[in-house]
Amino acid sequence: MVTPTPSSAISHDTASASVGVAGGPSFSPLYQQIKALILRSLQAGEWKPGEAIPSEVELAARFKVSQGTVRKAVDELAAENLLTRRQGKGTFVATHSDEEQVQYRFLRLIPDRADAGGEQSRREFLDCRRMRAPADVARALQLKAGDMVVEVRRVLHFVGVPVVLDDIWLPGHLFKGLTAERLSEYQGPMYGLFESEFGVSMIRAEEKLRAVAADPSVAELLKVDAGTPLLSVERRSFTYGEQPVELRRGLYRTDQHYYRNELS
């Protein structure tokens, strides 16, 4: 990427070229460079989750490029769910704070009954503790062996029925002071808490799914018989710069829900 000048302007003479790792030229469209600069501002916290970013006209003036170039960069960021366009209001940094309105942003569990789309959910936090990261967790979070992590265990209930058992690991240095009490007292979604109180935005996730059988301890928590088929979902969530900031292993009951994904 081209390093911006102090005014964040991009020279049109070098708008399409940058220097590759090996020292040779590599070429990047101008809008991609603007996208990278906007991402840099997002990562630096210039605009907080839920806040409006400057208008396309203002960004075009700031970066000394056309409004169309800015629009293309913003379109890509909106398509990646990093920005949100609101008709007649502007463009905002995506946030998890209103996650409840769309259920859970990364949780794609849908009730079988079409009339149960707004079913009530409740979180039950079973544990929250600091511990040395197990080797597999450290690798997934790109931590050193023995680094501290925060481990959270919770159950999600829908209409009074336990449906999801989550085991969650978070880098300890990013989540100092996170306790079960803070998690339980926070009224919004958990990712909203991470944004507002710890400055960590979960911007994308990747998942691995497989079928497993409930062992006796899991069966007791999810109120099913031992051996009941469950959906196992392992998720890694990332913040800016492709930094993994959460490892989550969930076990889902699918007797009254199904997992929905959209492919494009």
Side-chain angles (χ1 to χ4, degrees):
M1 291 297 177
V2 174
T3 301
T5 64
S7 64
S8 297
I10 292 182
S11 167
H12 287 276
D13 293 335
T14 58
S16 300
S18 58
V19 178
V21 174
S26 61
F27 294 90
S28 175
L30 181 55
Y31 80 91
Q32 288 283 358
Q33 297 183 50
I34 300 304
K35 176 183 174 183
L37 291 175
I38 296 173
L39 270 172
R40 187 177 303 175
S41 291
L42 291 170
Q43 184 172 4
E46 180 177 348
W47 311 303
K48 305 297 183 184
E51 288 183 355
I53 69 170
S55 69
E56 292 175 0
V57 172
E58 292 171 318
L59 289 173
R62 170 174 172 170
F63 298 130
K64 298 183 175 12
V65 296
S66 71
Q67 187 176 342
T69 298
V70 170
R71 182 176 300 115
K72 194 167 183 181
V74 170
D75 283 345
E76 281 209 354
L77 291 168
E80 295 169 7
N81 295 316
L82 300 182
L83 297 176
T84 303
R85 293 189 184 277
R86 297 179 187 170
Q87 187 67 32
K89 295 183 178 179
T91 302
F92 296 77
V93 182
T95 178
H96 289 271
S97 64
D98 57 357
E99 192 177 73
E100 295 290 355
Q101 297 178 13
V102 291
Q103 203 52 268
Y104 295 87
R105 179 171 170 187
F106 292 156
L107 177 62
R108 304 304 173 92
L109 205 61
I110 309 297
D112 288 335
R113 293 183 8 252
D115 62 346
E119 63 182 9
Q120 291 184 340
S121 63
R122 178 176 67 86
R123 299 167 298 182
E124 177 187 4
F125 291 98
L126 305 178
D127 195 13
C128 179
R129 60 184 178 131
R130 297 181 70 84
M131 59 181 288
R132 299 286 181 185
D136 59 330
V137 172
R139 282 194 301 271
L141 294 177
Q142 296 179 6
L143 300 173
K144 295 179 181 177
D147 279 356
M148 298 300 295
V149 293
V150 179
E151 182 184 26
V152 177
R153 171 168 268 210
R154 74 169 185 182
V155 176
L156 290 179
H157 300 255
F158 294 92
V159 197
V161 177
V163 176
V164 179
L165 172 62
D166 276 327
D167 286 298
I168 303 164
W169 292 269
L170 307 161
H173 67 284
L174 295 177
F175 292 90
K176 295 178 180 177
L178 181 63
T179 63
E181 289 74 22
R182 290 182 76 178
L183 287 167
S184 298
E185 291 170 0
Y186 187 77
Q187 296 303 307
M190 191 160 66
Y191 283 175
L193 172 69
F194 295 167
E195 283 181 355
S196 62
E197 297 198 22
F198 297 94
V200 178
S201 295
M202 310 290 189
I203 64 172
R204 78 169 190 88
E206 59 185 27
E207 295 183 332
K208 299 177 183 177
L209 283 70
R210 58 168 54 94
V212 299
D215 65 33
S217 63
V218 169
E220 182 178 358
L221 290 171
L222 290 180
K223 308 300 182 188
V224 296
D225 294 331
T228 297
L230 300 173
L231 180 65
S232 168
V233 181
E234 180 175 296
R235 178 196 308 164
R236 270 204 314 167
S237 299
F238 298 80
T239 191
Y240 300 106
E242 290 298 288
Q243 178 186 356
V245 286
E246 178 198 45
L247 174 65
R248 181 180 301 221
R249 291 172 178 156
L251 295 171
Y252 296 11
R253 286 179 55 170
T254 57
D255 50 331
Q256 297 182 43
H257 294 76
Y258 63 92
Y259 196 89
R260 181 175 183 269
N261 203 359
E262 296 181 4
L263 304 178
S264 59

